[in-house]
Amino acid sequence: MRFNRMLLSTTLVVVALVIQVSILARLQLPGAVPDLLLLVVLGLALVYGHMAGAFIGFGAGLLADLAPPADHAAGRYALVLCVIGYLAGLARPDNGQLKSATGPMVVVVAAAIGSTLLYAGVGALVGDTAARHVGLGSLLFTAAVYDLLLAPFTVPLIMALARRAESNPLSESQSGGAGGGDVASRWLSSGTGLRIGKQRSGMRVKAARSRAARAVRIKGVKRL
């Protein structure tokens, strides 16, 4: 299970980072940039939980910090996605399956706004005032809108892949075999096998009796 999680999470994070750097960042949209990496972290955290969401968020953010053309201090976005992944994982249901799309959409909007605020706050602590020049209000609005428009095409797919990676065909086959064993035990405990054995032994006794009766008849005929 853990290997499946690591493999799927690494693959999705790398693919999302490549798409975001090579395509989304070059669209030159007004305000913020659609954050596909954030949506990947949210989708995985909603299935795997808060601890896995924190680790996945930290790794994804660290890759984004080191990938060109990053122009901020390393670890800044890692901290942001680590916190967002942890908080999003707290909204995970017990079975990892959401019954409606309202919950994930609310999580996406809250994560988009929260990540932007947290990123700007950490930037202010380290002396980065880029958010002030662009306008924090514009960044919050555009980040929420872009991520909300992109979420229906990404988050359900990511969650489905995560749930599929969690399922283990081997365990299912073993449980099926166990179920077959239970059926066999129930079949034996119901007395069916004993009845068949009794029927076979009764048939043998009847055959032996019929043979003895025939032998007696043959001997009686010969004596006459």
Side-chain angles (χ1 to χ4, degrees):
M1 294 295 183
R2 293 182 179 178
F3 177 76
N4 292 341
R5 286 187 179 187
M6 293 176 59
L7 182 60
L8 178 64
S9 302
T10 303
T11 303
L12 291 177
V13 166
V14 171
V15 172
L17 182 60
V18 171
I19 294 176
Q20 184 164 334
V21 172
S22 60
I23 299 177
L24 297 179
R26 299 183 179 182
L27 295 178
Q28 296 181 354
L29 297 174
V33 176
D35 199 341
L36 182 60
L37 202 60
L38 174 65
L39 298 179
V40 170
V41 173
L42 292 179
L44 295 176
L46 289 174
V47 177
Y48 294 151
H50 59 282
M51 293 302 297
F55 283 110
I56 295 172
F58 179 80
L62 188 60
L63 286 178
D65 289 333
L66 300 177
D71 55 353
H72 54 268
R76 180 177 171 184
Y77 200 49
L79 175 62
V80 173
L81 287 187
C82 180
V83 174
I84 295 299
Y86 180 86
L87 295 178
L90 295 177
R92 173 186 178 270
D94 295 334
N95 57 357
Q97 296 182 357
L98 299 171
K99 297 181 180 180
S100 65
T102 305
M105 294 301 102
V106 172
V107 172
V108 168
V109 174
I113 297 175
S115 62
T116 304
L117 288 174
L118 187 58
Y119 187 82
V122 175
L125 293 177
V126 297
D128 186 2
T129 59
R132 297 179 181 178
H133 300 289
V134 177
L136 185 59
S138 176
L139 287 177
L140 291 175
F141 177 75
T142 54
V145 171
Y146 295 156
D147 292 346
L148 188 60
L149 292 176
L150 190 59
F153 304 99
T154 55
V155 175
L157 177 61
I158 293 168
M159 295 181 66
L161 292 175
R163 286 194 297 265
R164 186 178 181 84
E166 284 291 279
S167 63
N168 191 352
L170 181 59
S171 63
E172 292 178 359
S173 63
Q174 290 177 352
S175 62
D182 294 338
V183 171
S185 63
R186 289 195 300 268
W187 180 77
L188 290 175
S189 62
S190 64
T192 306
L194 295 177
R195 290 173 185 172
I196 291 177
K198 290 180 180 179
Q199 290 177 0
R200 290 179 178 177
S201 61
M203 292 175 63
R204 291 176 181 176
V205 171
K206 290 180 181 179
R209 289 178 180 177
S210 61
R211 291 176 184 174
R214 290 178 183 177
V216 171
R217 292 175 184 175
I218 291 173
K219 288 181 180 179
V221 172
K222 288 182 178 181
R223 287 178 182 178
L224 294 175

